[in-house]
Amino acid sequence: GLGHNDYGAFYTTTTFTAAAANTAYPITWSNVVAESHVTRDDTNTSRIYFDHAATYQIDFSAELLSSNSSAKSIYIFPRINGTDIPYSTIVHSISDNNASMTVSRSGIFTVDAGDYLEAVYAVTDTALTIQGSAATAFAPAAPSATLMVTEVRI
């Protein structure tokens, strides 16, 4: 079909530090770049709602920072209406102190009108955080995580 050209673009500058290891926490989206029928809930900012039933490409990225030299892993995955999506997890391990890196994943999801999406993370060691970086004299600040949602035509 022709679709609705729905989209949403969101980012956060929040530093996410898990209160406990091996526990899933939602990522909240502090900033809306653009919304058209894919909208952030202003009360529960971890939830991205879909106005139309359709198929969407979801692009996610996060900046990770390790603050100790122990081996540790992060698990990041989507939930739709509170249900984990099978075979969708990003798993990454870091063992160096002060090491940072970006992880990303894209996926295709079909949703119904009124469904909501959340990005969730868990770590094996609370010294692994999702954290952006400050602006420098030569580069702008980096968000801690980004989420882009674009309707696709299949």
Side-chain angles (χ1 to χ4, degrees), residues 4 11 17 22 24 29 35-36 39 55 59-60 67-68 70 74 79-81 142-143 151:
H4 303 97
Y11 71 93
T17 304
N22 303 313
W29 304 102
E35 296 176 314
S36 179
T39 57
T55 300
D59 299 301
F60 172 87
S67 60
N68 70 23
S70 299
I74 190 166
R79 286 181 174 162
I80 295 180
N81 300 328
E151 184 181 3

Side-chain angles (χ1 to χ4, degrees), residues 50 52-58 80 85 107-113 115 152 154:
F50 299 89
H52 300 120
T55 300
Y56 296 86
Q57 178 173 327
I58 311 294
I80 295 180
I85 304 304
I108 301 291
F109 298 89
T110 300
V111 300
D112 292 323
D115 283 355
V152 296
I154 295 180

Side-chain angles (χ1 to χ4, degrees), residues 66-154:
S66 168
S67 60
N68 70 23
S69 58
S70 299
K72 64 195 83 56
S73 297
I74 190 166
Y75 298 76
I76 305 172
F77 52 94
R79 286 181 174 162
I80 295 180
N81 300 328
T83 301
D84 299 343
I85 304 304
Y87 306 105
S88 63
T89 303
I90 299 170
V91 181
H92 194 79
S93 298
I94 300 178
S95 58
D96 294 332
N97 186 33
N98 234 12
S100 63
M101 67 177 348
T102 302
V103 294
S104 64
R105 170 74 51 91
S106 295
I108 301 291
F109 298 89
T110 300
V111 300
D112 292 323
D115 283 355
Y116 69 88
L117 168 75
E118 291 179 293
V120 181
Y121 77 100
V123 294
T124 59
D125 181 331
T126 60
L128 181 53
T129 59
I130 299 174
Q131 180 174 327
S133 57
T136 66
F138 55 85
S144 50
T146 62
L147 181 69
M148 305 288 288
V149 181
T150 309
E151 184 181 3
V152 296
R153 292 177 180 79
I154 295 180

